Amino acid sequence: MARAFKNTRRGVTGHLERAERDLLRNLFDDVITLLEPDEDAPAVPPSSPERDPLWELTGLSPEDFAASAGGAAVEPPRDPALRRLLPDAVKDDDAASAEFRGLTEHALRQSKTASLRAAKLALETSRLHLDDASAPRFAAALNDVRLVLAERLGIETEEDAERVHRLEDWAEAESVDDYLALVYNFVTWAQDSLMVALSDRIELDLDGPFGEGHVR
Amino acid sequence: MLTPETVEETAADTSPAYEIPYVLIVWNDPVNLMSYVSWVFRSYFGYSKAKADELMMEVHTLGRSVVATGSLEKIEADVAAMHRYGLWATFKRADEA
């Protein structure tokens, strides 16, 4: 088992075995893929003459601006795991939620993808070093992985969570779900140990992970 | 760091007094760790540990908690931020909550 994350003067450090890092990187990749724009949307293939090379150079697309301009309602994702990452913002009001999605969902996908990519990059070395900007993003990336795994495992109540939590021994894993449950418990352990380190640190932390700082 | 959101929130603070207040509600979820939820409340809203823990326990035991109140613009920005952290947050007019 890997060492827990620790709070140090220079940031949060942690140590993960190669197999654990590979596992986490694969999980981060899975969520990045899940967050890619809806496959139903009419995509322009990269080689298409309609794809403006100037847009390519900027790394942006006209859709980025269409999305940030807002206005158009966006339906919730059909994949329940993706819906957990991109939840409705207004309860029991589909129209208001769709309008909010039109304004925010594109940026939310981009923000989550950026955090997941940064988390992947942090796993390049066996000794992890997370500074005050990257540690919270790492925690959010772990949380997104857990939300997706929880959906696949059907965790909807505290009892479901308890049932999954009881599985501890990799030698006892008999099914894909058992294996998924053990992966989920590992990510939970990693996130919990990171939260202990970050809570020790919070008094010194003046900026939020997404640059918003303390809003009050 | 100055971001468009910072500007938006600053602008929202000077919104007219007659504006209807909105509330941000965080819903319980068996997945999100209690330590994580409390830490998000502390690091994003700047709440004390005691207040963050109290709100987190309210979410955990009552199923939901009103975590912030403010203008529509401010609360919408806060909801978007909670979604970036992976918490299930919604907003509502304060008089309907």
Side-chain angles (χ1 to χ4, degrees):
Chain A
M1 190 53 112
R3 274 208 305 274
F5 287 97
K6 273 189 310 193
N7 179 34
T8 72
R9 205 185 294 176
R10 290 187 309 114
V12 172
T13 61
H15 186 274
L16 292 170
E17 303 299 328
R18 173 180 282 275
E20 293 168 330
R21 284 185 284 133
D22 289 346
L23 173 61
L24 281 178
R25 280 154 55 137
N26 284 333
L27 292 167
F28 290 146
D29 256 340
D30 289 347
V31 181
I32 289 169
T33 306
L34 190 64
L35 282 165
E36 277 167 8
D38 200 342
E39 66 281 1
D40 296 343
V44 181
S47 58
S48 161
E50 287 171 52
R51 201 167 179 101
D52 190 325
L54 289 176
W55 281 115
E56 293 271 290
L57 278 175
T58 61
L60 299 168
S61 70
E63 293 79 32
D64 291 334
F65 292 88
S68 63
V74 172
E75 291 302 308
R78 273 171 306 171
D79 182 338
L82 192 52
R83 262 208 308 278
R84 255 174 133 138
L85 297 180
L86 311 168
D88 280 344
V90 186
K91 206 167 193 289
D92 306 322
D93 188 339
D94 293 345
S97 285
E99 190 190 342
F100 190 78
R101 278 180 194 283
L103 292 165
T104 61
E105 192 184 286
H106 185 76
L108 179 57
R109 283 179 194 252
Q110 283 188 325
S111 169
K112 283 184 181 292
T113 302
S115 293
L116 289 156
R117 288 212 178 106
K120 243 184 87 183
L121 206 65
L123 291 168
E124 296 274 323
T125 54
S126 62
R127 191 169 171 77
L128 274 79
H129 177 254
L130 302 170
D131 62 20
D132 287 342
S134 58
R137 282 183 172 272
F138 199 92
L142 290 174
N143 202 69
D144 283 348
V145 166
R146 292 181 59 250
L147 286 171
V148 171
L149 288 173
E151 187 58 43
R152 306 293 188 225
L153 283 162
I155 300 178
E156 278 168 20
T157 63
E158 305 290 342
E159 291 74 39
D160 296 334
E162 275 301 309
R163 165 177 56 80
V164 167
H165 190 70
R166 275 197 297 272
L167 207 67
E168 284 176 342
D169 189 350
W170 290 83
E172 280 174 19
E174 287 172 352
S175 64
V176 174
D177 269 10
D178 285 355
Y179 176 75
L180 268 187
L182 287 161
V183 169
Y184 176 84
N185 290 340
F186 163 68
V187 182
T188 302
W189 172 83
Q191 192 192 12
D192 198 37
S193 101
L194 180 55
M195 295 330 297
V196 173
L198 277 177
S199 298
D200 288 347
R201 196 164 180 80
I202 199 166
E203 310 303 335
L204 307 164
D205 180 21
L206 296 176
D207 264 321
F210 302 107
E212 63 275 272
H214 288 183
V215 293
R216 281 193 185 69
Chain B
M1 194 167 117
L2 193 66
T3 66
E5 280 161 16
T6 318
V7 173
E8 207 172 278
E9 278 160 16
T10 311
D13 288 341
T14 60
S15 58
Y18 56 75
E19 215 174 85
I20 303 156
Y22 276 73
V23 292
L24 179 148
I25 301 164
V26 171
W27 298 84
N28 190 37
D29 177 326
V31 178
N32 292 335
L33 295 170
M34 290 160 85
S35 56
Y36 182 66
V37 175
S38 176
W39 170 81
V40 169
F41 293 166
R42 290 175 78 188
S43 69
Y44 178 76
F45 293 107
Y47 292 157
S48 68
K49 181 165 178 10
K51 176 159 187 182
D53 283 348
E54 188 189 322
L55 291 170
M56 177 275 292
M57 282 311 292
E58 211 171 284
V59 173
H60 187 67
T61 55
L62 303 179
R64 49 164 268 176
S65 174
V66 171
V67 171
T69 307
S71 69
L72 177 60
E73 289 77 8
K74 182 204 159 344
I75 293 301
E76 280 184 337
D78 290 350
V79 166
M82 290 303 104
H83 291 178
R84 288 198 293 276
Y85 284 103
L87 302 197
W88 183 24
T90 61
F91 66 94
K92 201 169 202 176
R93 269 171 58 148
D95 56 353
E96 291 170 357

